[in-house]
């Protein structure tokens, strides 16, 4: 319905803001590595693992929220339960 268009608009606006942040960071620090390179520049070599951990787990959380049935089928499939 209409609320999905509003949600889509918020998501599109957030994506554009994030793209602008990465564009500005990329212009100021032209290195490969994305968030890892920016964190390394800001904090030194220490935060590489925490940045990777948060990035990977946040991506997994978004994937689970976006498609929970896939994970339930996989989980129950291994347990031998029909979903």
């Amino acid at each position: 319905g209409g609320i999905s268009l509003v949600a889509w608009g918020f998501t599109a606006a957030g994506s554009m803001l994030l793209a602008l942040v990465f564009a500005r960071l990329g212009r100021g620090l032209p290195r490969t590595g994305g968030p890892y390179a920016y964190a390394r520049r800001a904090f030194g070599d220490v935060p590489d693992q925490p940045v990777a951990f948060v990035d990977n787990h946040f991506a997994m959380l978004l994937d689970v929220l976006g498609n929970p049935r896939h994970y339930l089928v996989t989980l129950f499939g291994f347990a031998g339960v029909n979903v």
Side-chain angles (χ1 to χ4, degrees):
I3 194 71
S4 63
L5 292 176
V6 171
W8 184 83
F10 277 118
T11 304
S15 296
M16 290 301 295
L17 290 173
L18 186 62
L20 290 172
V21 166
F22 276 105
R24 184 155 177 130
L25 284 170
R27 205 172 350 138
L29 185 67
R31 295 184 187 159
T32 59
Y36 308 110
Y38 309 139
R40 186 177 301 121
R41 173 71 168 98
F43 304 111
D45 288 334
V46 175
D48 287 351
Q49 293 301 322
V51 168
F53 177 81
V54 171
D55 186 38
N56 290 335
H57 283 79
F58 186 67
M60 186 177 74
L61 175 66
L62 290 179
D63 192 28
V64 168
L65 293 176
N67 190 9
R69 187 175 183 339
H70 168 75
Y71 287 92
L72 289 175
V73 168
T74 304
L75 177 68
F76 289 128
F78 283 122
V81 177
N82 289 330
V83 179

